[in-house]
């Protein structure tokens, strides 16, 4: 299946946006795009304060999608950020939580990130820079210059490499990371992404559908930190199988 060529660039290679000289005193620069941050969370009360205090001012709206937490996740989130929008997901799984948050978002741009402290909110402006300069979907990569991981295990790294090789072969692309859920995209393209997954495989579904839809994709370096506290809900083997099934079912020509 042919699709519009996409671009994958490092932020240091992207030129600064052109200046907009004011021709008249009453002229104003174009309005800034608004930004919604979607944060799925399940029993992350101990991690939410650190995450929320790192959110940069460029984020206009924070949406916490609570996955039926039995701890004080929602209470702590509201205490840390009174303006947070708490949304209950209507089914199990990270994919369901993200889809719920995306539908609730009002911003021109939607950013998604985890609530466990493994992703740095301070990196968000790098993602927005690419969206501001014509890209449609921006994904973090731990495996390009400037990125890295202080948390990935040997089996997770191997699984990511194998699945990445599969997506690059199936879609004739040159991505450097696949199983990493720090992404941003234009809300106008939510219908094009056509998301249905309920689990961790939604991150792969997003990339596959972005490629199939011909969206302009950029990768930016991202540093993955260890989870600050608690245990991950990710199961490397079973979730890896679901990712592979998603890739095969979504491959071009199907």
């Amino acid at each position: 299946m042919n699709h519009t060529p996409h671009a994958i660039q490092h932020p240091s290679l992207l030129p600064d946006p052109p200046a907009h000289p004011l021709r008249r005193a009453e002229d104003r620069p174009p309005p800034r795009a608004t930004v919604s941050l979607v944060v799925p969370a399940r029993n992350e009360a101990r991690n939410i304060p650190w995450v929320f205090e790192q959110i940069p001012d460029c984020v206009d709206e924070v949406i916490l999608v609570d996955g039926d937490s039995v701890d004080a996740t929602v209470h702590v989130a509201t205490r840390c950020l009174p303006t947070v929008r708490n949304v209950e997901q209507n089914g199990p799984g990270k994919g369901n939580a993200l889809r719920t948050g995306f539908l609730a978002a009002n911003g021109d741009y939607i950013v998604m990130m985890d609530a466990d402290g493994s992703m740095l909110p301070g990196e968000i402006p790098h993602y927005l820079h690419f969206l501001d300069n014509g890209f449609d979907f921006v994904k973090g990569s731990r495996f390009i210059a400037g990125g890295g991981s202080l948390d990935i295990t040997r089996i997770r790294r191997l699984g990511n490499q194998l699945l990445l090789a599969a997506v690059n072969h199936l879609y004739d692309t040159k991505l450097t990371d696949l199983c990493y859920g720090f992404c941003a995209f234009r809300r106008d393209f939510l219908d094009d992404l056509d998301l249905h997954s309920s689990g961790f495989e939604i991150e792969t579904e997003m990339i596959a559908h972005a490629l199939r839809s011909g969206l302009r994709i950029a990768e930016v370096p991202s540093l993955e930190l260890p989870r600050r506290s608690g245990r991950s809900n990710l199961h490397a083997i079973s979730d890896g199988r679901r990712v592979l099934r998603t890739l095969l079912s979504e491959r071009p020509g199907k």
Side-chain angles (χ1 to χ4, degrees):
M1 175 178 177
N2 293 326
H3 56 268
T4 304
H6 56 276
I8 302 170
Q9 296 188 14
H10 188 283
S12 63
L13 303 179
L14 191 67
D16 292 330
H20 298 283
L22 300 180
R23 293 175 297 176
R24 299 185 301 272
E26 64 270 19
D27 283 343
R28 294 291 182 271
R32 178 181 69 84
T34 55
V35 180
S36 295
L37 175 61
V38 175
V39 184
R42 184 170 184 266
N43 298 328
E44 299 286 5
R46 296 176 64 185
N47 298 321
I48 287 290
W50 184 89
V51 174
F52 276 18
E53 72 181 11
Q54 307 289 325
I55 295 174
D57 292 339
C58 58
V59 173
D60 301 283
E61 173 185 60
V62 178
I63 299 173
L64 179 79
V65 186
D66 181 57
D68 198 24
S69 296
V70 296
D71 67 358
T73 292
V74 174
H75 176 72
V76 169
T78 304
R79 289 289 300 272
C80 293
L81 185 66
T83 59
V84 68
R85 291 180 57 199
N86 294 305
V87 179
E88 291 186 10
Q89 65 184 95
N90 55 17
K94 182 178 182 179
N96 179 277
L98 286 171
R99 289 189 287 112
T100 301
F102 296 161
L103 291 175
N106 295 312
D108 301 309
Y109 300 158
I110 297 177
V111 182
M112 54 181 267
M113 67 177 299
D114 293 346
D116 60 5
S118 63
M119 301 167 182
L120 290 164
E123 294 179 353
I124 290 175
H126 303 311
Y127 291 70
L128 303 183
H129 178 70
F130 267 50
L131 294 177
D132 284 339
N133 285 276
F135 287 86
D136 308 312
F137 187 94
V138 185
K139 57 183 294 297
S141 173
R142 298 161 291 180
F143 306 118
I144 55 177
S149 178
L150 303 178
D151 183 58
I152 194 167
T153 62
R154 181 177 300 180
I155 190 169
R156 284 177 55 212
R157 183 184 294 272
L158 177 61
N160 186 74
Q161 291 173 343
L162 293 174
L163 294 167
L164 180 65
V167 75
N168 283 338
H169 173 73
L170 290 171
Y171 292 90
D172 189 26
T173 188
K174 296 181 180 178
L175 298 176
T176 64
D177 202 350
L178 181 65
C179 303
Y180 189 52
F182 200 169
C183 301
F185 59 93
R186 297 177 181 271
R187 184 165 59 91
D188 289 346
F189 290 110
L190 184 57
D191 288 343
D192 297 82
L193 293 177
D194 189 28
L195 302 173
H196 300 282
S197 295
S198 59
F200 283 93
E201 72 277 8
I202 192 170
E203 297 156 3
T204 300
E205 183 185 44
M206 293 180 72
I207 295 170
H209 288 187
L211 289 167
R212 292 187 63 168
S213 298
L215 303 189
R216 295 193 67 200
I217 300 175
E219 289 190 311
V220 298
S222 182
L223 176 62
E224 180 183 35
L225 302 175
R227 163 181 274 275
R228 295 189 66 82
S229 68
R231 297 183 61 181
S232 173
N233 295 313
L234 175 68
H235 302 285
I237 301 298
S238 59
D239 287 318
R241 289 173 179 163
R242 295 179 69 168
V243 169
L244 180 59
R245 285 197 297 268
T246 299
L247 281 178
L248 294 176
S249 65
E250 300 290 343
R251 67 186 183 273
K254 285 291 288 183

